[in-house]
Amino acid sequence: KGGPSFGAWSKVATATAPATLTAPLTSGEGTYGFYTRASDTVRGTQELDLGQAEATLIVDTTAPQSTAGSSTNATSSQLLSIWASATDDASGVSAVELWWHYAPPGSSTFTPWRLADTEKYGSFYLSLDAGDGTYEFFSLAIDGSGNREATKTVADTVVTLDTVAPTVSVTPLAPSVKSRSASITHVAT
């Protein structure tokens, strides 16, 4: 078990051919290397270079971790880029999913979470087709052993889409006044 170089070799099974050998994987997560050695009564034991494994196996029971983000938290463009980064210490990340949901302006009621896309490297390009409002996103990673990150309860990143330009209206002033101050009424939306 180990990384590119393994620790000391240990004999794990003996069998008479033809046979299937079962090896205990008792050292926990990581990479296990295996080699076989054959012997017969005429020629003796076949010796191998013990520095090389004939086969390797990765034991990985831990889910990967990921996070998503955006370069902005507010935009007027319906086209958005979201990045996601993910890590896995044993079998590596095989895919990253991006999930989203949406609430219209002035509402705190969101749609159900939906899968936007799945990518190998976590760069997502989306069109915010639900319209103006708040979009929340989270990523979920899957590793090479099939372990899946637990579904998140809080968004990794939040982006507000606002495509409506603000407006201002001003109540006209009287053409002339006797005082040195004027009161201006305006409304901005």
Side-chain angles (χ1 to χ4, degrees), residues 31-178:
T31 302
Y32 290 79
F34 300 93
Y35 78 93
T36 55
R37 192 164 69 173
S39 64
D40 64 24
T41 56
V42 176
R43 295 194 182 130
T45 300
Q46 171 196 13
E47 294 295 332
L48 298 175
D49 176 9
L50 299 183
Q52 290 285 53
E54 294 175 317
T56 59
L57 172 70
I58 297 173
V59 174
D60 179 6
T61 60
T62 302
Q65 298 294 309
S66 71
T67 189
S70 173
S71 61
T72 184
N73 60 2
T75 183
S76 61
S77 171
Q78 286 185 295
L79 299 178
L80 181 67
S81 174
I82 299 283
W83 56 264
S85 63
T87 60
D88 183 74
D89 291 337
S91 60
V93 175
S94 67
V96 178
E97 298 175 345
L98 183 68
W99 291 79
W100 69 281
H101 68 178
Y102 160 82
S107 175
S108 61
T109 303
F110 282 84
T111 61
W113 286 101
R114 299 179 220 177
L115 177 63
D117 203 355
T118 303
E119 295 289 341
K120 170 76 176 160
Y121 297 106
S123 294
F124 300 91
Y125 301 95
L126 307 169
S127 179
L128 304 178
D129 294 332
D132 285 8
T134 303
Y135 292 79
E136 294 187 339
F137 300 91
F138 69 77
S139 60
L140 292 181
I142 303 158
D143 70 17
S145 295
N147 298 311
R148 182 179 179 80
E149 184 177 8
T151 300
K152 297 176 182 174
T153 57
V154 176
D156 289 332
T157 191
V158 178
V159 177
T160 299
L161 174 64
D162 182 358
T163 60
V164 179
T167 60
V168 175
S169 63
V170 178
T171 303
L173 296 172
S176 65
V177 293
K178 292 182 183 182

